[in-house]
Amino acid sequence: MLPLLTFVLSITIVITVYYSGLNTLNNSLENNIEQVGQLTSKEFANILNSDIGKLENLKNRIEFTNGMFLNYWEKDAELLIEQTQSFKFLEWIDSTMVIKKISPLAGNENALNLDISTVKYRREEWIKHSKINQTNITPWSELTQGGHAFLVDVPVYFNNHFQGTISAGMDFKTNFAKFSSSLNDFYAIELYDHTNTLFFKLNTNKKLNNPINYNIKILVDSLDNQAWTLKLFPTNKFKLTNRRELTSITLIIGLLFSLLISLLVYFYLRIRNERRLAIQSNNKLLVANKKLFKERKKAEKASSAKTEFLSNMSHEIRTPLHAILGFIELLKDSKLNKADKEYLDLMEKSSSNLLNIVNDILDIDKIESGKIELSEVKFNPVQKIKELIEVNQFIFLRKDLYLKAKYKKTNNLTVLGDESKFIQIVNNIVKNGLKFTDNGGVTLVYSEKITKSNKLHIKIAIKDTGIGIPPNQLESIFERFKQIENSVKKQYEGSGLGLAISKILVNMMGGDIRVKSIPNIGTTFKFDVFFPIIDNQDEKPQDQKLKTTANLADLNVLIVDDNNLNIIVLKKFLESFGVTADTANNGLIGVETFKQNQNYDLIFMDIHMPIMDGWEASKEIRKLDEDVIIFGLSANVTTEAIDMALENGMNNYLSKPFKKEHIAKLLQFHFSH
């Protein structure tokens, strides 16, 4: 009886301990699954919000620029699709619910010009979310162009009106799978949209036949209270001792009692270890997020410091340059012998080179900070190219080189675009050919054709007979501060920014630039740009050369500047037009002088002055007189400085150094009849 009782007791103890341990294991498993489920749901929500946030950032740029950014939003769309795997395509849906733009177009042609009001599951939610300016997420949907995706609509408002939505076809499965890979196959995941459609699953074929699982809702649309459902299951890696095997091992259960306890402890510790790893992963994510936040702040401070440095550097260099170039221009009008004129030409060339380097650096800074924009004026491209060739002929002849132009298939049309930046591109490449060519010269070939979308497609090839570019350096020729090699860089002047700026501007105009070169034979640059053709070709571009009928000698002028050299140069310029001027050495004296004599017609106001700067002085003068013309003067050419000048009441802005002809044009514009 005792052995039997012992056996029965042993069996009872073993079974009791087994079921007790199994219950403990199941409870631990439930807690573990719950914690992993919460962590997974939070990470999935972070992925969702992060990816949709990038789309909303694109919307913010469009609204900030009052829609101007829509003209070249495709570049941002391409970057988003390239950098974020969740984006399959991006669309612009206008306020009539028609898809007007889509990127990439290839593979999505069927969706272009689609009226989404005819799509049952799109119309009501799109309209409802657009009215209250809230992002909308559709169910997992079958697309017109094939395949499935979530359609995310971000309403865009500018000019106080709803304009349309930036919409994206998004599939988060790749990013979800990346995070889920850290779960080491211990869990199976099922993710359903708010219509209970399964769109993501992981390890579902390995689910443990166990009632333990964890469900949680991920809110994706607070307006409609729509949420995704995340279901988490343990996989067969958590497989426990099969109860059916218990009968067959009853006889040895007593002998293996201690081993069984050890195994139960082992399983328990293993589950706890997985829980610890999950918590560690979460902590690492938190640390990484904090580190990224700190690095972003550092980058923002560095960018701000760089902009401030460039602004100060520009001001400190351009201010003395203004005086130097001004005196050079004044001296050129005086009687000089041949040697003095040559020295003066060399001084002007060196000063102009320094000014060009400063301008190139500022252009690059504007491009990097996203503050450079394309203007729209009416101009004739082929006529501007002819003028550029004519202007540059002399500097080529001085170097015993030729500058030729060939025109093929020209239409002599007027277009709408950024004339100055178009000429800047061509001039940069032509001057590059002049710089690196000692024999022969440069040939420009110009051709154009009209596209089906009524745009003028301009192709330009510029070939020189210069030193050429080694094949291993062709790919880096458009990089910033790059020249062929150190020895060449010392021999030839320049900042190394001209080609980099040209490439960026060409891309902004919808074109591309390429280069071919043979060392010691020559180099050929080819690029193309696109400009809209204006409808009324009889309306020609305005001639900027206005004729004045005003008697400038009758003008009462006040110059406010703390730099005596700048005052002397400006007074000499004005005297050449028959204008005499009063002066003040800072903003406070300028305001007092104006109060004593409010008959001034024109004030030249420097920006950076002691005691009272030009912005504050202009604001004070505007309180006394709304009509007096104020021209801002500064070596600071940043967009912020110009905007601040206009906000404080200045009528126009002259950036130092300026030439006498700039003064003449402003006087003609403001005082011509």
Side-chain angles (χ1 to χ4, degrees):
M1 293 298 292
L2 184 58
L4 181 59
L5 289 174
T6 303
F7 177 76
V8 172
L9 181 60
S10 299
I11 292 297
T12 302
I13 293 173
V14 168
I15 292 175
T16 301
V17 172
Y18 172 77
Y19 279 104
S20 176
L22 187 62
N23 288 333
T24 302
L25 187 63
N26 285 340
N27 289 336
S28 298
L29 185 59
E30 287 177 355
N31 292 335
N32 182 269
I33 290 176
E34 180 178 355
Q35 291 178 2
V36 174
Q38 290 177 353
L39 172 64
T40 303
S41 66
K42 288 180 181 178
E43 184 59 28
F44 281 10
N46 288 339
I47 292 171
L48 175 69
N49 294 332
S50 175
D51 290 350
I52 292 178
K54 295 174 182 178
L55 190 64
E56 292 173 342
N57 287 339
L58 179 58
K59 161 255 184 82
N60 292 336
R61 289 194 289 276
I62 294 173
E63 289 182 344
F64 182 77
T65 59
N66 283 329
M68 290 291 291
F69 198 77
L70 268 176
N71 295 328
Y72 39 87
W73 77 292
E74 288 86 355
K75 289 292 182 183
D76 263 26
E78 291 173 5
L79 286 174
L80 280 177
I81 294 170
E82 178 182 346
Q83 297 173 358
T84 308
Q85 292 179 316
S86 299
F87 288 92
K88 303 305 177 185
F89 60 85
L90 277 86
E91 304 171 332
W92 171 250
I93 305 175
D94 67 11
S95 59
T96 65
M97 301 185 74
V98 175
I99 299 174
K100 292 296 187 180
K101 299 181 180 181
I102 189 165
S103 179
L105 182 58
N108 296 295
E109 294 86 351
N110 292 341
L112 193 62
N113 296 319
L114 173 68
D115 184 354
I116 67 168
S117 65
T118 62
V119 182
K120 184 177 180 180
Y121 67 87
R122 294 281 276 139
R123 174 181 173 82
E124 298 302 327
E125 285 195 5
W126 191 93
I127 293 175
K128 181 164 60 172
H129 286 74
S130 298
K131 285 181 178 180
I132 65 169
N133 195 11
Q134 183 168 323
T135 300
N136 175 49
I137 304 177
T138 70
W140 183 249
S141 308
E142 183 176 359
L143 304 176
T144 302
Q145 62 269 44
H148 291 75
F150 290 102
L151 298 173
V152 181
D153 306 307
V154 181
V156 177
Y157 283 75
F158 54 85
N159 294 330
N160 298 321
H161 292 288
F162 169 66
Q163 304 293 334
T165 65
I166 291 291
S167 300
M170 304 185 73
D171 185 350
F172 307 94
K173 290 188 286 187
T174 301
N175 287 335
F176 288 172
K178 283 182 180 179
F179 172 78
S180 302
S181 65
S182 65
L183 302 181
N184 297 326
D185 294 332
F186 282 95
Y187 304 96
I189 296 175
E190 292 179 357
L191 195 57
Y192 299 82
D193 68 10
H194 66 271
T195 64
N196 207 32
T197 299
L198 176 65
F199 68 92
F200 175 74
K201 60 183 181 179
L202 179 73
N203 298 331
T204 53
N205 59 330
K206 300 178 182 179
K207 285 195 297 186
L208 182 64
N209 188 16
N210 191 304
I212 298 174
N213 64 75
Y214 179 77
N215 294 355
I216 190 171
K217 298 289 186 180
I218 302 174
L219 184 64
V220 297
D221 189 340
S222 58
L223 178 62
D224 298 319
N225 198 28
Q226 294 173 351
W228 293 350
T229 302
L230 172 68
K231 295 183 178 182
L232 194 72
F233 309 86
T235 65
N236 52 23
K237 279 201 173 187
F238 280 105
K239 187 173 183 181
L240 306 176
T241 306
N242 196 317
R243 296 179 186 180
R244 289 176 296 181
E245 297 174 357
L246 190 61
T247 303
S248 62
I249 62 171
T250 302
L251 294 177
I252 61 172
I253 235 11
L255 299 175
L256 299 177
F257 183 81
S258 60
L259 179 61
L260 178 61
I261 295 297
S262 300
L263 289 174
L264 290 174
V265 171
Y266 167 75
F267 284 126
Y268 175 78
L269 292 176
R270 185 171 178 179
I271 292 172
R272 194 174 68 174
N273 186 54
E274 291 298 328
R275 174 186 173 186
R276 187 179 72 253
L277 290 175
I279 293 173
Q280 287 177 351
S281 297
N282 184 49
N283 290 336
K284 288 180 180 178
L285 287 173
L286 292 175
V287 171
N289 284 336
K290 290 180 180 178
K291 187 175 180 180
L292 286 173
F293 179 78
K294 290 180 180 178
E295 292 301 322
R296 188 186 71 182
K297 288 295 183 183
K298 287 181 181 178
E300 289 174 352
K301 288 182 180 179
S303 178
S304 176
K306 182 194 69 173
T307 300
E308 184 177 352
F309 167 75
L310 287 175
S311 175
N312 292 334
M313 178 273 294
S314 169
H315 181 269
E316 295 303 322
I317 293 177
R318 294 169 77 97
T319 297
L321 263 181
H322 171 61
I324 293 170
L325 287 171
F327 280 119
I328 289 173
E329 190 167 2
L330 291 172
L331 287 171
K332 288 172 70 175
D333 292 334
S334 61
K335 294 180 180 180
L336 299 171
N337 58 44
K338 185 177 180 181
D340 289 339
K341 288 183 178 180
E342 290 178 357
Y343 296 151
L344 205 59
D345 288 339
L346 290 173
M347 289 172 59
E348 184 175 31
K349 179 182 178 183
S350 298
S351 300
S352 297
N353 286 340
L354 179 57
L355 180 60
N356 290 336
I357 291 173
V358 174
N359 289 338
D360 284 347
I361 293 173
L362 291 176
D363 280 346
I364 282 292
D365 179 59
K366 288 180 182 178
I367 290 169
E368 286 181 341
S369 59
K371 295 177 181 177
I372 192 166
E373 296 179 355
L374 296 178
S375 62
E376 291 187 346
V377 298
K378 297 172 184 176
F379 72 100
N380 186 315
V382 67
Q383 186 61 39
K384 291 300 174 183
I385 293 296
K386 290 178 179 179
E387 292 175 4
L388 183 144
I389 295 297
E390 183 179 347
V391 168
N392 284 287
Q393 286 283 0
F394 176 69
I395 60 176
F396 274 78
L397 290 175
R398 286 196 305 185
K399 200 175 174 181
D400 292 328
L401 301 175
Y402 62 78
L403 176 60
K404 301 177 182 178
K406 298 179 181 179
Y407 303 94
K408 300 179 180 179
K409 301 178 182 178
T410 59
N411 300 281
N412 200 32
L413 296 173
T414 301
V415 300
L416 190 65
D418 197 317
E419 172 191 341
S420 64
K421 289 185 176 61
F422 171 64
I423 296 301
Q424 182 181 356
I425 295 167
V426 180
N427 197 48
N428 280 350
I429 301 175
V430 169
K431 293 291 181 63
N432 192 73
L434 172 66
K435 184 193 305 181
F436 294 104
T437 303
D438 294 322
N439 296 293
V442 174
T443 302
L444 182 147
V445 179
Y446 177 97
S447 64
E448 60 187 27
K449 67 177 180 179
I450 302 174
T451 67
K452 293 181 180 179
S453 58
N454 199 35
K455 289 186 176 181
L456 193 64
H457 182 189
I458 299 172
K459 294 183 178 180
I460 294 178
I462 300 173
K463 181 178 181 181
D464 65 55
T465 59
I467 62 175
I469 305 168
N472 62 343
Q473 297 188 31
L474 273 176
E475 294 196 6
S476 65
I477 196 67
F478 293 108
E479 295 179 11
R480 296 162 199 178
F481 306 107
K482 287 284 185 178
Q483 287 189 352
I484 299 173
E485 58 184 56
N486 288 336
S487 61
V488 173
K489 188 171 183 179
K490 293 175 184 176
Q491 181 180 352
Y492 297 96
E493 300 173 343
S495 64
L497 291 172
L499 291 179
I501 294 171
S502 296
K503 180 177 177 62
I504 294 170
L505 294 179
V506 167
N507 291 339
M508 289 178 68
M509 294 179 185
D512 191 21
I513 187 168
R514 303 161 299 283
V515 60
K516 291 183 180 180
S517 183
I518 302 175
N520 301 317
I521 299 297
T523 303
T524 300
F525 288 90
K526 293 182 178 180
F527 72 91
D528 59 343
V529 291
F530 296 82
F531 293 115
I533 302 171
I534 67 170
D535 294 330
N536 185 9
Q537 286 297 314
D538 293 332
E539 183 182 354
K540 298 301 180 182
Q542 293 183 354
D543 187 359
Q544 299 298 321
K545 296 180 180 178
L546 302 174
K547 292 184 178 179
T548 179
T549 58
N551 184 0
L552 298 180
D554 294 334
L555 291 179
N556 289 322
V557 178
L558 173 63
I559 301 173
V560 184
D561 198 323
D562 64 322
N563 190 306
N564 289 330
L565 291 178
N566 290 339
I567 291 176
I568 293 171
V569 171
L570 185 53
K571 286 189 71 174
K572 290 294 184 181
F573 283 173
L574 292 173
E575 287 173 3
S576 67
F577 305 131
V579 177
T580 57
D582 297 332
T583 63
N585 290 328
N586 60 55
L588 182 61
I589 297 175
V591 173
E592 294 300 325
T593 303
F594 184 81
K595 287 180 179 179
Q596 296 171 9
N597 179 11
Q598 295 191 20
N599 294 322
Y600 287 116
D601 305 297
L602 172 63
I603 300 174
F604 288 92
M605 180 72 70
D606 187 34
I607 299 298
H608 299 286
M609 294 181 291
I611 303 176
M612 180 184 287
D613 61 36
W615 294 317
E616 189 177 353
S618 297
K619 187 184 293 186
E620 293 298 319
I621 290 174
R622 278 285 172 248
K623 294 177 182 178
L624 303 171
D625 192 326
E626 290 289 333
D627 298 323
V628 62
I629 303 297
I630 304 176
F631 292 163
L633 305 174
S634 179
N636 188 344
V637 294
T638 60
T639 304
E640 293 85 352
I642 297 173
D643 291 342
M644 193 168 179
L646 298 178
E647 289 172 4
N648 283 279
M650 294 183 179
N651 302 87
N652 219 314
Y653 192 91
L654 271 170
S655 59
K656 299 175 183 177
F658 52 81
K659 294 187 177 181
K660 186 165 66 175
E661 63 183 80
H662 299 151
I663 300 292
K665 288 181 179 179
L666 282 177
L667 293 177
Q668 290 169 3
F669 179 80
H670 288 279
F671 299 102
S672 295
H673 301 289

